[in-house]
Amino acid sequence: MASKKYCMACLRQLRQQSQSLSRKSTSIRLPISRPAVLHRTFNTAPKSLAVAADPTKIHAPAPVLPPKADPPSKNAKFAPEESPNPSTKQTIAKELRKRATNATETYVAYGVAEKLMKECAKQANYSIPQAAEKGVEIPKTKEGEDLGVGEGWWYTDLGLTPTFNTWAQITFLHMYLLTVRFRYFPPDHAPAWHQHLADHFFYAAEDRMVVMHNVHARTIRNKYLKDLFVQWRGLTAGYDEGLIKGDAVLATAVWRNVFKGNEKVDLKKLGEVVSYMRRVLAALDRMGDEQVASGRISFGSPGSEGEVVKVHSRLMDEPFKEEELKEIEEKAT
């Protein structure tokens, strides 16, 4: 017959098994997803102030507050911005140009000098219609130069031949008048204007050689350009001497360069050219530097000097001095 009482040893054994099972069940935990929190492993604060970071706590970032506006100053006064008047703008432009002269002068001179050179070149411009036609021979002069077609006082009234050399000499004459005026510029400005004016001429001369005269060989073009440079330096010295010593010397320089020393030259026409040069120089002298530097210059026609040349000069009635006669005799011998 089975006993209804439990054995004490059996009950003790059952309690020990239930306790072991309860310990194993409470040690099993499921992974919990938490945001990763990075913590530095060092602290720059003193040990007494250091607080261990709790990895289970997530710290929210501190709110970003807009900067506080400074209180209005009692001494500051605000007024609406007014647009400067034209005189103020010009003053500002002049001041900026003074401060940046070395950086801007060469660019200003380059652009304006090109404009002025074109004004000089168009005074005796010409064309060669045969240059655009293939297989057509360009007519020549007695000296072997390409003969073109030109209009204007220098060709129709003065009777010069429309050739490359004539164009170059008349262009040089007008360039010389500008260079005389450039000499009145400040010393640190004038060299750039002289250089750019000459450079633009030689660019145009080389282009004309290729387009109108079919000179495609660079060596030949360089030879012509060197000859033109020598002529430019020589006539500059000759015209300078004429400005100092008088119209007779200036007329000699014009006769030698523009008229190629032609003995049959019309002296009245030669006088008109000299009078024209004097008149243009006087007009340029009355202009301010700003007007000249703006390039607003246009040349007229020497034909308007005809009435001036007809006026009898008082110097023609004065006798020669003995010193002048001796100087003439010495030059003749």
Side-chain angles (χ1 to χ4, degrees), residues 263-277:
E263 297 180 355
K264 298 180 180 180
V265 64
D266 188 346
L267 296 180
K268 179 178 177 295
K269 298 296 183 183
L270 178 59
E272 291 179 2
V273 176
V274 175
S275 179
Y276 168 76
M277 294 177 67

Side-chain angles (χ1 to χ4, degrees), residues 137-155:
E137 185 178 357
I138 299 176
K140 305 288 185 180
T141 62
K142 295 180 180 180
E143 292 79 11
E145 298 180 89
D146 293 344
L147 181 62
V149 178
E151 297 180 356
W153 184 87
W154 297 93
Y155 295 131

Side-chain angles (χ1 to χ4, degrees), residues 252-325:
T252 303
V254 173
W255 170 72
R256 185 172 57 250
N257 292 282
V258 177
F259 294 91
K260 300 180 181 180
N262 186 8
E263 297 180 355
K264 298 180 180 180
V265 64
D266 188 346
L267 296 180
K268 179 178 177 295
K269 298 296 183 183
L270 178 59
E272 291 179 2
V273 176
V274 175
S275 179
Y276 168 76
M277 294 177 67
R278 293 286 188 182
R279 179 173 60 84
V280 172
L281 288 174
L284 292 174
D285 184 56
R286 292 191 295 268
M287 293 182 180
D289 289 350
E290 294 182 0
Q291 185 176 358
V292 176
S294 66
R296 297 191 300 269
I297 297 176
S298 60
F299 297 101
S301 173
S304 59
E305 303 297 320
E307 298 298 328
V308 178
V309 175
K310 291 180 181 180
V311 178
H312 185 76
S313 176
R314 292 177 298 176
L315 296 176
M316 297 294 294
D317 299 331
E318 296 181 3
F320 285 100
K321 298 179 181 180
E322 294 183 1
E323 297 178 356
E324 295 176 346
L325 293 174

Side-chain angles (χ1 to χ4, degrees), residues 1-174:
M1 179 175 181
S3 177
K4 294 182 179 180
K5 295 183 180 180
Y6 296 98
C7 179
M8 295 300 295
C10 294
L11 290 173
R12 191 181 299 109
Q13 184 67 25
L14 290 173
R15 290 193 187 99
Q16 290 178 358
Q17 291 180 358
S18 61
Q19 289 178 359
S20 63
L21 290 174
S22 62
R23 291 193 191 100
K24 292 181 180 179
S25 61
T26 55
S27 63
I28 299 175
R29 295 181 179 180
L30 297 176
I32 301 174
S33 59
R34 294 178 179 176
V37 179
L38 300 178
H39 300 278
R40 61 185 182 183
T41 58
F42 63 92
N43 195 347
T44 58
K47 294 182 179 180
S48 61
L49 301 179
V51 179
D54 188 358
T56 61
K57 295 183 180 180
I58 301 175
H59 300 278
V64 180
L65 300 178
K68 296 182 179 181
D70 296 334
S73 175
K74 297 180 179 180
N75 298 327
K77 295 182 180 180
F78 299 94
E81 185 178 358
E82 298 179 357
S83 59
N85 53 30
S87 60
T88 306
K89 292 181 179 179
Q90 293 178 0
T91 304
I92 295 173
K94 291 180 181 179
E95 187 64 24
L96 289 175
R97 187 171 180 182
K98 288 180 182 179
R99 295 177 180 272
T101 299
N102 296 331
T104 60
E105 186 67 27
T106 183
Y107 296 103
V108 174
Y110 183 88
V112 178
E114 182 180 10
K115 180 180 178 181
L116 293 174
M117 200 289 300
K118 291 180 179 179
E119 177 65 21
C120 297
K122 77 176 187 179
Q123 303 304 315
N125 197 16
Y126 68 98
S127 61
I128 301 179
Q130 296 83 0
E133 301 177 5
K134 295 183 179 180
V136 179
E137 185 178 357
I138 299 176
K140 305 288 185 180
T141 62
K142 295 180 180 180
E143 292 79 11
E145 298 180 89
D146 293 344
L147 181 62
V149 178
E151 297 180 356
W153 184 87
W154 297 93
Y155 295 131
T156 57
D157 296 352
L158 200 59
L160 298 178
T161 306
T163 60
F164 178 85
N165 186 67
T166 302
W167 169 82
Q169 291 299 326
I170 298 174
T171 304
F172 278 155
L173 186 145
H174 290 85

